């Protein structure tokens, strides 16, 4: 959300403009409710709050890249 030069909301707008199908993983030190409020109009696909572990980040990325069917029994 907070970055030098361009804010996260501006980046989301530009990414969605260029590639509307793009899956976006938003990460922030803000809590999830605040992050979603700040970027509500820009449809981030997922959110992970800082600090996070490498395992948690990997899980989130895998979830975005390989979505499971609701009937999939895998955890």
């Amino acid at each position: 959300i907070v970055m030098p030069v361009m804010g996260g909301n501006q980046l989301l707008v530009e990414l969605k403009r260029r590639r509307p199908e793009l899956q976006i993983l938003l990460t922030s030190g803000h809590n999830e409710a605040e992050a979603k409020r700040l970027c509500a109009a820009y449809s981030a696909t997922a959110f992970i709050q800082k600090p996070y572990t490498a395992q948690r980040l990997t899980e989130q990325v895998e979830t975005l890249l390989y979505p499971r069917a609701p009937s999939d029994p895998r955890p």
Side-chain angles (χ1 to χ4, degrees):
I1 293 173
V2 179
M3 304 183 319
V5 182
M6 177 185 289
N9 341 23
Q10 293 168 307
L11 178 60
L12 286 172
V13 169
E14 186 61 22
L15 289 171
K16 286 294 191 175
R17 183 185 70 75
R18 292 180 186 204
R19 295 196 45 208
E21 77 287 355
L22 190 65
Q23 300 290 313
I24 295 174
L25 176 59
L26 180 65
T27 182
S28 176
H30 292 281
N31 68 43
E32 184 171 2
E34 180 67 6
K36 285 184 176 180
R37 185 190 69 74
L38 290 170
C39 296
Y42 309 113
S43 68
T45 305
F47 175 83
I48 186 170
Q49 187 168 351
K50 293 177 186 178
Y52 49 81
T53 63
Q55 179 179 350
R56 180 76 176 122
L57 177 60
T58 300
E59 290 168 357
Q60 282 287 9
V61 170
E62 287 177 347
T63 298
L64 291 174
L65 293 176
Y66 311 108
R68 297 181 203 147
S71 61
D72 190 340
R74 293 177 290 165

